[in-house]
Amino acid sequence: MVLPRKGPSRVHFVFSIRHMQKQRNPQKKKHLLVKKLAKEGYTDIYSSEPSKFIYLGNAGFVCGVNPTYLQELFGKLDGFYKLHSFRHKSYAFVEFKTVEDGKRAYELYDSKLIQPPIYLIFARYLPEIEAAPKAIIPKGLSVIPEFVSPEIEEILLKFLNENEDKFVDMKNRSVLHFGYEFDYDSNSAFKKCDDIPSVFTQLIESMQPYFDTYYPDQVTVNRYRPGQSIPMHVDTHSAFEEPILSLSLQSSINLDYTHCANPTVSTEIPLPRRSLLVMKGESRYCWRHGIRPRASDIGADGELVPREERYSITFRKIRTKPCECPFIEYCDWNRNGITAIPSNNESAKQVEKTYVQQVYEDIAEHFSQTRHSKWNAVANFLNSLPDGSVVLDAGCGNGKYLTTNTDKFYMGFDTCHNLLKVANTKGEVMNGSLFEIPIKNSVCDAVICIAVIHHFSTVERRKAAIAEISRVLSPGGKALITVWSIDQKTDGEMSAYAKMRSNKEPTEMKQENNAKLMIHDGTDFTNCDMLVPWQRSRDGAQFFRYYHLFYKDELDKLVESFDDLTVTDSSYEQGNFIVIFQKN
Amino acid sequence: MLQKVEYPVLAEAAKVTNIENLEIPNELPSDWENNETFLNVAYKLLNCINVVEGELECPETGRKFIIRDSIPNMLANEDEVES
């Protein structure tokens, strides 16, 4: 078992006795693994005789087994030749120089590795594993190999080594700035510091075609020793132009990328030594990038690539005014109010037009397909109403609830024309708004309003919607409202930790401008008002929907602020608050 | 349901649709709750007939609301509503 070391160091390890005990019933497991391999097409791979190839079952990257661990186990053995690991497989192979070497390794470890359990089987040959599924490459990203010659690299390294004492130690790396000092508190670079040294002049000239209209005026050198890292981040939109160029010296590394609107979309980009990374467009504005604290990476062919001390020299052009990128929702300021958290009715209507009404029109078909099952709480509510009740579905969407009972009279309305086209096949519907419900006073025995009110962006508008629901309810009439909770995990009560997190940014480096609607990046909700991504299935297009996330009791209090309304039931289910109330 | 509807308006609207063989009284009969014939007519009007294309006109303002593909558009315009 490898003991991870913090900070710069050579990796060293200690064998714990726990990891070398007897496995339970290894024969049975090996039998299953051989069958599994046969299914992949490698039917005759099993060898009953010792071989220089050993299959390692359950030792794949996807099993959570770090190739570094395998390297430690086998790398020091006599005759070790190569470790073959595959990013997308649950197994690995180790290759020795001779059969004797393989036999020795097998005898040492067979049926003895238990934490994690790894199964050794002699293999007659090394299979040609087809490449992992095509890796995602963020749009606008390119890597230019051998951008500098080894001679130039040497000159640059010499300069950096001479200036070693100027480097400032951060938590997990060391930095040195030229041109402008990078301010990590505001994540921007505005203070002038040492001029860009002449040793970089030639380099900058050769980068000119990538910068196009200007020269970089800010340089940051990062030094990473093996095991060091930088947290996932986006280079602040308004601080720097695009592109951002980064030269890798002395060692290669794999750079992690994760999409800002979809954390399940992530990839690793190998940066060879002496290569130039160019980040433009989406890769510069819509993806987070970072370096994981590891001592090695997996190369393109699945081989283990140990990290050496690496320098990255990043060249950027300072921006003097707020960002104007085409990725408005991803930007670090509210873009003249487009993504500002609404403060008045006008801005509220605008946000809802862009990030609720228009989005639902665009995603209606796909959205409707995902909305077919009925909530128990809602079905129970509807079933509890007397026969002949007049029931209004305010914001009926695709009309899912309009067919619940045949012994009641259902009506629905929605602003979304495209969803109404579907709802129309299920019942009586109209195009209408919750702010001017097209129904006369006091005629509805019941109203349901499912997942609608959280799309209204000021407290006044949310109240106005409830006022309208109240108006159309007959005296004694009942209503059921559901909204999204800001806390998606517990019973609606925000844990102390979650409350604390709700004021912190999801990534270590802060994002600017709190008056802006932030994109929900798939983890906890961090603000009450957010833009939640929706990816349309037919073409993968990205949309954002505005949501106001509710605290526990927030909706209850809103309802009870009306003299003639009383909450009769309040519950939390699957990330939603469900409130039932009655009109006196 | 009949008590919630403004019957005279319903009757007026029903006449416009020109349905043959349907006797639609102008006013709600006083014995409507037990009047089988009437109840059948009312049922037809409320549940079986659907305006697919047409318009609704507000008797007070004359404002027309268009019905297309069975869906009436009751959305008010910006200038018609006080925020």
Side-chain angles (χ1 to χ4, degrees), chain A residues 424 429 431 436 440 443 445, chain B residues 1 4 6 69 72 74 81:
Chain A
N424 196 27
V429 295
N431 217 331
E436 297 89 35
K440 56 183 215 166
V443 294
D445 299 303
Chain B
M1 189 62 190
K4 296 174 188 263
E6 290 212 19
D69 296 326
M74 309 305 291
V81 186

Side-chain angles (χ1 to χ4, degrees), chain A residues 501-557:
Chain A
R501 276 211 71 212
S502 70
N503 289 323
K504 286 226 163 71
E505 299 305 325
T507 56
E508 242 196 58
M509 293 196 178
K510 283 174 275 192
Q511 285 174 308
E512 257 101 83
N513 206 331
N514 291 320
K516 164 193 177 305
L517 294 168
M518 306 291 277
I519 294 175
H520 174 233
D521 70 352
T523 52
D524 300 320
F525 288 118
T526 52
N527 294 93
C528 305
D529 299 282
M530 296 197 84
L531 294 173
V532 179
W534 176 281
Q535 192 158 35
R536 185 163 61 187
S537 57
R538 65 169 162 89
D539 61 354
Q542 191 77 253
F543 295 91
F544 296 94
R545 285 181 297 166
Y546 164 82
Y547 277 87
H548 172 79
L549 291 325
F550 282 73
Y551 282 100
K552 188 172 180 179
D553 294 332
E554 184 182 334
L555 181 59
D556 305 54
K557 292 204 183 89

